[in-house]
Amino acid sequence: MNRLIRYAALSVLCLFVSASVARAQVDARMLQNPDVSKTSIVFSYAGDLWIVPKAGGTALKLSSPPGQELFPHFSPDGSRIAYTANYDGNYDVFNVASGGGVPTRVTYHGMTDRILDWYPDGKALLFASLMASGRQRYNQFYKVSPEGGMPEALPAPPFGEFAAISPDGKLIAYTPQSQAFRTWKRYRGGWAPDIYIFDLAKNTAENVTKNDANDEMPMWSGRKLYFLSDRDQNERANIWVYDLDSKQTKAVTNFTDYDIHFPAIGPDDIVFEAGGEVYLLSLADEKYKTVK
C-alpha cells in the first residue's frame, strides 16, 4: 500500500512539474506584422494569422492554410482584416472577417501585391504592386475595393514601397524606397528612405524627414505622422513623430538592444514588434508596454 501511495504521489508530482514547465515555455517569440484595432491585436506567426485581446491572453488562430499570410491590417471599424497571402504561388491581397471565416480574394495579378492600409472610410484598400512598373525592382501604389475589382493607380510618383492615407483622405505619406526587407543595418547612403507627403489634389510632394538615416513606415494620427527611424545615436530603429503644424520631430521610443519592426497604428494605439515580442504604445501618453 505504501508503495502504491508513493507511486501515486510521484505521478502527481510529475504531472505538476510537466504542467509548470509547459506554462513556462509559453513565451512565443517571432511574432510578426502586428496591427491593432479598438479591442484586438492581429499578427502573423508561423505563416498564419492570430488574434488576441489588446490586454493580452490566449491568441486564437484565424487561419491554417498551407500558404503564408503576412501584413494583416484591421479595417477602420475593426470588423475585417486585410492581408497579403501566397496560396497558389503568388502573393495577393485578401480580406477576412475579424472573427475568422472564408476570405475574400481582392487582387489577381501575377506580380506581388502587398497590402499597406485601409482608406479612412473603409471603402477601399491601398496596396503596393509591381504589376505595371515595367521591372521587378520597385512598386507602385494602387487603390482597390475590399470586394475586389479593377485596381486604380494613384497619381503619386512612379514608385513607392510603404504608405498611409491621411484621416481626411487628401494626403498620402509614403516612402519611394525601403530597407525593411534588407539586412543593411545602419545603412547611410543614397538608398536610405525618406518620408514624403503627397497632396492627392495638387499632385505635389514634400520631403518631411530629409535625413540620411532610414525613415519609413509612416502612420497618421490626426495632424501627427508617426514613423520608424534609426536616426538616433544608437542607430536603432525606433518610433518617431513629426508634427505637421509645428514642423517638429521627436523620438517616442528608445530601444537600444533591438530594432522595432513593422509598426502599425490603430484608433488609440501603435503596435509593434521588437526582440520578437509585441508592444502596445498608447497615443494618449506615448507610453508603451509588452503584450503577453
Side-chain angles (χ1 to χ4, degrees):
M1 179 63 71
N2 289 338
R3 181 177 296 176
L4 289 175
I5 291 174
R6 287 198 298 273
Y7 283 153
L10 183 60
S11 298
V12 171
L13 178 62
C14 288
L15 287 172
F16 176 78
V17 171
S18 298
S20 299
V21 171
R23 284 196 297 271
Q25 290 175 342
V26 181
D27 183 22
R29 300 296 179 98
M30 300 301 290
L31 311 177
Q32 296 180 305
N33 312 141
D35 192 29
V36 62
S37 69
K38 195 78 174 175
T39 60
S40 304
I41 294 172
V42 64
F43 58 89
S44 176
Y45 178 75
D48 291 312
L49 299 184
W50 299 70
I51 193 167
V52 68
K54 280 202 317 186
T58 301
L60 301 178
K61 197 173 185 180
L62 288 179
S63 62
S64 57
Q68 189 178 37
E69 294 150 334
L70 301 166
F71 307 114
H73 286 276
F74 281 108
S75 60
D77 64 2
S79 65
R80 298 195 69 81
I81 298 169
Y83 62 96
T84 291
N86 185 345
Y87 291 148
D88 55 7
N90 181 66
Y91 285 98
D92 283 289
V93 176
F94 297 78
N95 81 78
V96 69
S98 298
V102 178
T104 298
R105 184 169 180 173
V106 179
T107 65
Y108 289 83
H109 199 273
M111 289 294 189
T112 295
D113 302 323
R114 175 163 43 84
I115 185 66
L116 298 176
D117 198 9
W118 287 76
Y119 273 69
D121 59 7
K123 296 180 180 179
L125 297 172
L126 175 67
F127 70 98
S129 178
L130 296 162
M131 68 172 71
S133 64
R135 61 190 66 184
Q136 298 181 35
R137 293 181 63 85
Y138 57 84
N139 287 290
Q140 296 169 310
F141 298 132
Y142 294 86
K143 176 182 180 180
V144 69
S145 166
E147 304 305 317
M150 186 62 69
E152 172 191 345
L154 265 64
F159 43 87
E161 291 297 331
F162 287 93
I165 303 293
S166 63
D168 60 9
K170 296 180 179 180
L171 306 173
I172 177 171
Y174 75 98
T175 55
Q177 56 218 32
S178 173
Q179 293 296 322
F181 304 108
R182 298 181 182 271
T183 55
W184 300 352
K185 280 183 177 291
R186 304 171 181 85
Y187 171 76
R188 299 294 186 268
W191 200 248
D194 273 311
I195 294 176
Y196 292 76
I197 295 180
F198 187 87
D199 190 308
L200 293 168
K202 299 177 182 177
N203 285 351
T204 58
E206 177 189 3
N207 185 338
V208 297
T209 52
K210 299 176 183 177
N211 196 289
D212 65 351
N214 299 281
D215 303 313
E216 52 186 324
M217 310 285 173
M219 300 168 285
W220 291 95
S221 176
R223 295 283 294 172
K224 291 182 177 180
L225 189 64
Y226 291 87
F227 62 97
L228 198 62
S229 178
D230 63 358
R231 64 174 65 191
D232 67 8
Q233 67 273 19
N234 297 304
E235 297 184 330
R236 285 289 184 192
N238 275 284
I239 304 291
W240 291 67
V241 62
Y242 171 77
D243 190 302
L244 270 70
D245 296 320
S246 68
K247 309 294 184 182
Q248 298 298 309
T249 302
K250 70 170 185 176
V252 178
T253 66
N254 186 31
F255 282 78
T256 58
D257 294 329
Y258 299 104
D259 292 302
I260 290 175
H261 303 108
F262 297 106
I265 198 165
D268 306 308
D269 315 88
I270 292 176
V271 66
F272 59 87
E273 175 267 322
E277 292 190 298
V278 171
Y279 292 79
L280 202 59
L281 185 153
S282 169
L283 292 173
D285 56 15
E286 295 184 344
K287 295 181 179 179
Y288 52 93
K289 61 182 179 181
T290 57
V291 179
K292 298 297 183 181

Short mmCIF file of all heavy atoms in Angstrom, two decimals, residues 173-217:
data_model
loop_
_atom_site.label_atom_id
_atom_site.label_comp_id
_atom_site.label_asym_id
_atom_site.label_seq_id
_atom_site.Cartn_x
_atom_site.Cartn_y
_atom_site.Cartn_z
N ALA A 173 1.16 59.80 -47.10
CA ALA A 173 2.55 59.79 -46.65
C ALA A 173 3.17 58.50 -47.16
O ALA A 173 2.60 57.43 -47.01
CB ALA A 173 2.62 59.85 -45.13
N TYR A 174 4.34 58.62 -47.78
CA TYR A 174 4.90 57.42 -48.43
C TYR A 174 6.43 57.48 -48.44
O TYR A 174 7.05 58.52 -48.25
CB TYR A 174 4.38 57.31 -49.86
CG TYR A 174 5.02 58.28 -50.83
CD1 TYR A 174 6.06 57.88 -51.66
CD2 TYR A 174 4.59 59.60 -50.91
CE1 TYR A 174 6.66 58.77 -52.54
CE2 TYR A 174 5.17 60.49 -51.79
CZ TYR A 174 6.21 60.08 -52.60
OH TYR A 174 6.80 60.96 -53.47
N THR A 175 7.02 56.31 -48.68
CA THR A 175 8.46 56.20 -48.93
C THR A 175 8.65 55.65 -50.34
O THR A 175 8.06 54.62 -50.68
CB THR A 175 9.15 55.27 -47.92
OG1 THR A 175 8.52 54.00 -47.93
CG2 THR A 175 9.08 55.84 -46.52
N PRO A 176 9.46 56.29 -51.15
CA PRO A 176 9.68 55.80 -52.51
C PRO A 176 10.53 54.54 -52.56
O PRO A 176 10.56 53.83 -53.56
CB PRO A 176 10.37 56.97 -53.21
CG PRO A 176 11.00 57.74 -52.11
CD PRO A 176 10.12 57.58 -50.92
N GLN A 177 11.27 54.26 -51.48
CA GLN A 177 12.09 53.06 -51.39
C GLN A 177 12.09 52.58 -49.95
O GLN A 177 11.59 53.27 -49.06
CB GLN A 177 13.52 53.33 -51.86
CG GLN A 177 14.18 54.48 -51.12
CD GLN A 177 15.05 55.32 -52.03
OE1 GLN A 177 14.77 55.47 -53.21
NE2 GLN A 177 16.12 55.87 -51.48
N SER A 178 12.65 51.40 -49.69
CA SER A 178 12.59 50.83 -48.35
C SER A 178 13.81 49.96 -48.07
O SER A 178 14.36 49.34 -48.98
CB SER A 178 11.32 49.98 -48.20
OG SER A 178 11.31 49.30 -46.96
N GLN A 179 14.19 49.92 -46.80
CA GLN A 179 15.21 49.00 -46.32
C GLN A 179 14.60 47.89 -45.47
O GLN A 179 15.33 47.08 -44.88
CB GLN A 179 16.25 49.76 -45.49
CG GLN A 179 17.07 50.76 -46.28
CD GLN A 179 17.93 50.09 -47.33
OE1 GLN A 179 18.47 49.02 -47.10
NE2 GLN A 179 18.03 50.70 -48.49
N ALA A 180 13.27 47.82 -45.40
CA ALA A 180 12.59 46.90 -44.50
C ALA A 180 12.87 45.44 -44.79
O ALA A 180 12.84 44.60 -43.90
CB ALA A 180 11.09 47.15 -44.53
N PHE A 181 13.13 45.12 -46.05
CA PHE A 181 13.34 43.72 -46.42
C PHE A 181 14.81 43.40 -46.69
O PHE A 181 15.13 42.36 -47.25
CB PHE A 181 12.50 43.39 -47.66
CG PHE A 181 11.04 43.68 -47.47
CD1 PHE A 181 10.44 44.75 -48.11
CD2 PHE A 181 10.27 42.90 -46.62
CE1 PHE A 181 9.09 45.03 -47.93
CE2 PHE A 181 8.93 43.18 -46.42
CZ PHE A 181 8.34 44.24 -47.07
N ARG A 182 15.69 44.30 -46.30
CA ARG A 182 17.12 44.09 -46.49
C ARG A 182 17.81 43.92 -45.13
O ARG A 182 17.21 44.15 -44.08
CB ARG A 182 17.74 45.26 -47.25
CG ARG A 182 17.18 45.45 -48.65
CD ARG A 182 17.84 46.61 -49.36
NE ARG A 182 17.28 46.82 -50.69
CZ ARG A 182 17.72 46.24 -51.80
NH1 ARG A 182 18.74 45.40 -51.73
NH2 ARG A 182 17.17 46.48 -52.97
N THR A 183 19.06 43.53 -45.17
CA THR A 183 19.84 43.34 -43.94
C THR A 183 20.93 44.40 -43.79
O THR A 183 21.93 44.17 -43.13
CB THR A 183 20.48 41.94 -43.93
OG1 THR A 183 21.26 41.77 -45.11
CG2 THR A 183 19.41 40.86 -43.87
N TRP A 184 20.71 45.54 -44.41
CA TRP A 184 21.70 46.62 -44.36
C TRP A 184 21.49 47.46 -43.10
O TRP A 184 21.01 48.59 -43.15
CB TRP A 184 21.58 47.51 -45.59
CG TRP A 184 21.79 46.82 -46.90
CD1 TRP A 184 22.22 45.54 -47.10
CD2 TRP A 184 21.56 47.37 -48.19
NE1 TRP A 184 22.28 45.25 -48.43
CE2 TRP A 184 21.88 46.36 -49.14
CE3 TRP A 184 21.13 48.60 -48.65
CZ2 TRP A 184 21.77 46.57 -50.51
CZ3 TRP A 184 21.01 48.80 -50.02
CH2 TRP A 184 21.35 47.80 -50.93
N LYS A 185 21.82 46.94 -41.96
CA LYS A 185 21.65 47.70 -40.72
C LYS A 185 22.53 48.95 -40.71
O LYS A 185 23.66 48.93 -41.18
CB LYS A 185 21.99 46.82 -39.51
CG LYS A 185 20.88 45.88 -39.09
CD LYS A 185 21.29 45.13 -37.85
CE LYS A 185 20.16 44.23 -37.35
NZ LYS A 185 19.04 45.00 -36.83
N ARG A 186 21.96 50.02 -40.17
CA ARG A 186 22.68 51.29 -40.03
C ARG A 186 23.17 51.84 -41.36
O ARG A 186 24.16 52.58 -41.42
CB ARG A 186 23.84 51.14 -39.04
CG ARG A 186 23.38 50.63 -37.67
CD ARG A 186 24.55 50.28 -36.75
NE ARG A 186 24.06 49.76 -35.48
CZ ARG A 186 23.73 48.48 -35.30
NH1 ARG A 186 23.85 47.62 -36.31
NH2 ARG A 186 23.29 48.08 -34.13
N TYR A 187 22.48 51.50 -42.40
CA TYR A 187 22.87 51.97 -43.73
C TYR A 187 22.72 53.49 -43.83
O TYR A 187 21.74 54.06 -43.35
CB TYR A 187 22.00 51.29 -44.78
CG TYR A 187 22.17 51.85 -46.19
CD1 TYR A 187 23.29 51.54 -46.95
CD2 TYR A 187 21.22 52.71 -46.72
CE1 TYR A 187 23.45 52.06 -48.22
CE2 TYR A 187 21.36 53.22 -47.99
CZ TYR A 187 22.48 52.90 -48.74
OH TYR A 187 22.64 53.41 -50.00
N ARG A 188 23.69 54.12 -44.41
CA ARG A 188 23.62 55.55 -44.70
C ARG A 188 24.09 55.74 -46.14
O ARG A 188 25.24 55.49 -46.48
CB ARG A 188 24.52 56.37 -43.76
CG ARG A 188 24.15 56.26 -42.27
CD ARG A 188 22.80 56.89 -42.00
NE ARG A 188 22.48 56.94 -40.59
CZ ARG A 188 21.80 56.00 -39.93
NH1 ARG A 188 21.42 54.91 -40.58
NH2 ARG A 188 21.53 56.14 -38.65
N GLY A 189 23.20 56.17 -46.99
CA GLY A 189 23.57 56.33 -48.38
C GLY A 189 22.39 56.70 -49.23
O GLY A 189 21.30 57.01 -48.73
N GLY A 190 22.56 56.64 -50.52
CA GLY A 190 21.52 57.10 -51.44
C GLY A 190 20.28 56.25 -51.47
O GLY A 190 19.25 56.70 -51.97
N TRP A 191 20.35 55.03 -50.95
CA TRP A 191 19.17 54.16 -50.94
C TRP A 191 18.40 54.25 -49.62
O TRP A 191 17.42 53.57 -49.43
CB TRP A 191 19.61 52.72 -51.21
CG TRP A 191 18.50 51.83 -51.69
CD1 TRP A 191 17.93 50.79 -51.01
CD2 TRP A 191 17.80 51.90 -52.93
NE1 TRP A 191 16.94 50.21 -51.75
CE2 TRP A 191 16.84 50.87 -52.94
CE3 TRP A 191 17.89 52.74 -54.05
CZ2 TRP A 191 15.97 50.66 -54.01
CZ3 TRP A 191 17.03 52.52 -55.12
CH2 TRP A 191 16.10 51.49 -55.09
N ALA A 192 18.85 55.10 -48.70
CA ALA A 192 18.14 55.28 -47.43
C ALA A 192 16.81 55.99 -47.70
O ALA A 192 16.78 57.03 -48.35
CB ALA A 192 18.99 56.09 -46.46
N PRO A 193 15.69 55.45 -47.20
CA PRO A 193 14.39 56.04 -47.50
C PRO A 193 14.10 57.30 -46.69
O PRO A 193 14.52 57.43 -45.54
CB PRO A 193 13.40 54.93 -47.12
CG PRO A 193 14.12 54.13 -46.08
CD PRO A 193 15.58 54.20 -46.43
N ASP A 194 13.39 58.23 -47.31
CA ASP A 194 12.80 59.39 -46.65
C ASP A 194 11.29 59.29 -46.77
O ASP A 194 10.77 58.57 -47.63
CB ASP A 194 13.28 60.69 -47.29
CG ASP A 194 14.60 61.18 -46.70
OD1 ASP A 194 14.70 61.24 -45.47
OD2 ASP A 194 15.52 61.48 -47.48
N ILE A 195 10.60 60.06 -45.93
CA ILE A 195 9.14 60.08 -45.99
C ILE A 195 8.69 61.37 -46.67
O ILE A 195 9.11 62.46 -46.30
CB ILE A 195 8.53 59.97 -44.58
CG1 ILE A 195 8.85 58.59 -43.98
CG2 ILE A 195 7.02 60.18 -44.63
CD1 ILE A 195 8.39 58.41 -42.57
N TYR A 196 7.83 61.20 -47.65
CA TYR A 196 7.25 62.31 -48.39
C TYR A 196 5.75 62.38 -48.10
O TYR A 196 5.11 61.34 -47.86
CB TYR A 196 7.45 62.15 -49.89
CG TYR A 196 8.88 62.26 -50.35
CD1 TYR A 196 9.77 61.21 -50.15
CD2 TYR A 196 9.34 63.40 -50.99
CE1 TYR A 196 11.09 61.30 -50.58
CE2 TYR A 196 10.66 63.50 -51.43
CZ TYR A 196 11.53 62.44 -51.21
OH TYR A 196 12.83 62.54 -51.65
N ILE A 197 5.21 63.58 -48.14
CA ILE A 197 3.76 63.77 -48.07
C ILE A 197 3.29 64.26 -49.44
O ILE A 197 3.75 65.31 -49.92
CB ILE A 197 3.36 64.75 -46.96
CG1 ILE A 197 3.72 64.17 -45.59
CG2 ILE A 197 1.86 65.05 -47.04
CD1 ILE A 197 3.36 65.07 -44.42
N PHE A 198 2.41 63.50 -50.04
CA PHE A 198 1.92 63.80 -51.39
C PHE A 198 0.48 64.30 -51.31
O PHE A 198 -0.37 63.66 -50.68
CB PHE A 198 1.98 62.55 -52.26
CG PHE A 198 1.66 62.79 -53.71
CD1 PHE A 198 2.65 63.17 -54.60
CD2 PHE A 198 0.37 62.63 -54.19
CE1 PHE A 198 2.37 63.39 -55.94
CE2 PHE A 198 0.08 62.85 -55.52
CZ PHE A 198 1.07 63.22 -56.40
N ASP A 199 0.22 65.46 -51.89
CA ASP A 199 -1.13 66.04 -51.94
C ASP A 199 -1.85 65.46 -53.15
O ASP A 199 -1.47 65.71 -54.30
CB ASP A 199 -1.05 67.56 -52.05
CG ASP A 199 -2.40 68.23 -51.85
OD1 ASP A 199 -3.36 67.83 -52.54
OD2 ASP A 199 -2.48 69.16 -51.03
N LEU A 200 -2.89 64.67 -52.91
CA LEU A 200 -3.57 63.97 -53.99
C LEU A 200 -4.36 64.90 -54.90
O LEU A 200 -4.66 64.53 -56.04
CB LEU A 200 -4.51 62.91 -53.40
CG LEU A 200 -3.80 61.74 -52.70
CD1 LEU A 200 -4.80 60.92 -51.90
CD2 LEU A 200 -3.07 60.87 -53.69
N ALA A 201 -4.67 66.10 -54.43
CA ALA A 201 -5.39 67.06 -55.27
C ALA A 201 -4.43 67.92 -56.07
O ALA A 201 -4.65 68.19 -57.25
CB ALA A 201 -6.30 67.93 -54.40
N LYS A 202 -3.34 68.35 -55.45
CA LYS A 202 -2.40 69.25 -56.10
C LYS A 202 -1.29 68.53 -56.86
O LYS A 202 -0.54 69.16 -57.62
CB LYS A 202 -1.78 70.19 -55.06
CG LYS A 202 -2.78 71.07 -54.33
CD LYS A 202 -2.08 71.92 -53.28
CE LYS A 202 -3.06 72.78 -52.51
NZ LYS A 202 -2.38 73.56 -51.43
N ASN A 203 -1.13 67.23 -56.60
CA ASN A 203 -0.05 66.45 -57.22
C ASN A 203 1.34 67.02 -56.88
O ASN A 203 2.22 67.13 -57.73
CB ASN A 203 -0.21 66.37 -58.74
CG ASN A 203 -1.32 65.41 -59.15
OD1 ASN A 203 -1.85 64.68 -58.32
ND2 ASN A 203 -1.66 65.40 -60.41
N THR A 204 1.49 67.39 -55.61
CA THR A 204 2.77 67.91 -55.13
C THR A 204 3.27 67.04 -53.97
O THR A 204 2.47 66.48 -53.22
CB THR A 204 2.65 69.36 -54.66
OG1 THR A 204 1.66 69.44 -53.61
CG2 THR A 204 2.25 70.27 -55.81
N ALA A 205 4.59 66.96 -53.84
CA ALA A 205 5.18 66.14 -52.79
C ALA A 205 6.18 66.96 -51.98
O ALA A 205 6.88 67.82 -52.53
CB ALA A 205 5.85 64.91 -53.37
N GLU A 206 6.25 66.68 -50.67
CA GLU A 206 7.21 67.36 -49.79
C GLU A 206 7.94 66.32 -48.95
O GLU A 206 7.32 65.46 -48.33
CB GLU A 206 6.47 68.33 -48.85
CG GLU A 206 7.39 69.02 -47.85
CD GLU A 206 6.64 69.81 -46.80
OE1 GLU A 206 5.39 69.78 -46.81
OE2 GLU A 206 7.31 70.46 -45.97
N ASN A 207 9.26 66.40 -48.93
CA ASN A 207 10.08 65.54 -48.09
C ASN A 207 10.05 66.10 -46.67
O ASN A 207 10.52 67.21 -46.42
CB ASN A 207 11.51 65.50 -48.63
CG ASN A 207 12.39 64.51 -47.88
OD1 ASN A 207 12.13 64.15 -46.75
ND2 ASN A 207 13.47 64.09 -48.53
N VAL A 208 9.52 65.32 -45.71
CA VAL A 208 9.38 65.84 -44.34
C VAL A 208 10.42 65.26 -43.38
O VAL A 208 10.43 65.62 -42.20
CB VAL A 208 7.96 65.58 -43.80
CG1 VAL A 208 6.93 66.33 -44.62
CG2 VAL A 208 7.65 64.10 -43.74
N THR A 209 11.29 64.37 -43.85
CA THR A 209 12.32 63.82 -42.97
C THR A 209 13.71 64.35 -43.32
O THR A 209 14.48 64.71 -42.43
CB THR A 209 12.31 62.29 -43.00
OG1 THR A 209 12.37 61.83 -44.35
CG2 THR A 209 11.07 61.75 -42.33
N LYS A 210 14.07 64.37 -44.57
CA LYS A 210 15.34 64.97 -45.04
C LYS A 210 16.51 64.53 -44.18
O LYS A 210 17.21 65.35 -43.57
CB LYS A 210 15.23 66.49 -45.06
CG LYS A 210 14.15 67.04 -45.97
CD LYS A 210 14.03 68.55 -45.86
CE LYS A 210 12.90 69.09 -46.71
NZ LYS A 210 12.72 70.55 -46.56
N ASN A 211 16.73 63.23 -44.11
CA ASN A 211 17.71 62.69 -43.21
C ASN A 211 18.46 61.57 -43.92
O ASN A 211 17.90 60.88 -44.75
CB ASN A 211 16.99 62.15 -41.96
CG ASN A 211 17.93 61.91 -40.79
OD1 ASN A 211 18.73 60.99 -40.82
ND2 ASN A 211 17.83 62.74 -39.77
N ASP A 212 19.74 61.38 -43.60
CA ASP A 212 20.49 60.30 -44.24
C ASP A 212 20.26 58.96 -43.57
O ASP A 212 20.79 57.93 -43.99
CB ASP A 212 21.99 60.62 -44.27
CG ASP A 212 22.62 60.70 -42.89
OD1 ASP A 212 21.87 60.67 -41.89
OD2 ASP A 212 23.86 60.79 -42.80
N ALA A 213 19.43 58.94 -42.51
CA ALA A 213 19.05 57.70 -41.84
C ALA A 213 17.92 57.04 -42.62
O ALA A 213 17.47 57.52 -43.66
CB ALA A 213 18.64 57.98 -40.41
N ASN A 214 17.44 55.93 -42.07
CA ASN A 214 16.34 55.19 -42.70
C ASN A 214 15.03 55.58 -42.03
O ASN A 214 14.78 55.21 -40.89
CB ASN A 214 16.59 53.69 -42.56
CG ASN A 214 17.86 53.25 -43.26
OD1 ASN A 214 17.89 53.09 -44.47
ND2 ASN A 214 18.93 53.06 -42.49
N ASP A 215 14.21 56.35 -42.73
CA ASP A 215 12.93 56.83 -42.21
C ASP A 215 11.82 56.22 -43.06
O ASP A 215 11.73 56.50 -44.27
CB ASP A 215 12.86 58.36 -42.28
CG ASP A 215 14.00 59.03 -41.52
OD1 ASP A 215 14.26 58.62 -40.38
OD2 ASP A 215 14.63 59.94 -42.09
N GLU A 216 10.95 55.41 -42.45
CA GLU A 216 9.88 54.78 -43.22
C GLU A 216 8.73 54.34 -42.34
O GLU A 216 8.65 54.70 -41.18
CB GLU A 216 10.42 53.61 -44.05
CG GLU A 216 11.23 52.57 -43.30
CD GLU A 216 11.81 51.55 -44.26
OE1 GLU A 216 11.15 51.21 -45.26
OE2 GLU A 216 12.94 51.07 -44.02
N MET A 217 7.79 53.57 -42.88
CA MET A 217 6.59 53.09 -42.19
C MET A 217 5.74 54.23 -41.63
O MET A 217 5.48 54.31 -40.43
CB MET A 217 6.95 52.13 -41.04
CG MET A 217 7.90 51.03 -41.40
SD MET A 217 7.11 49.76 -42.36
CE MET A 217 8.53 48.75 -42.78
#
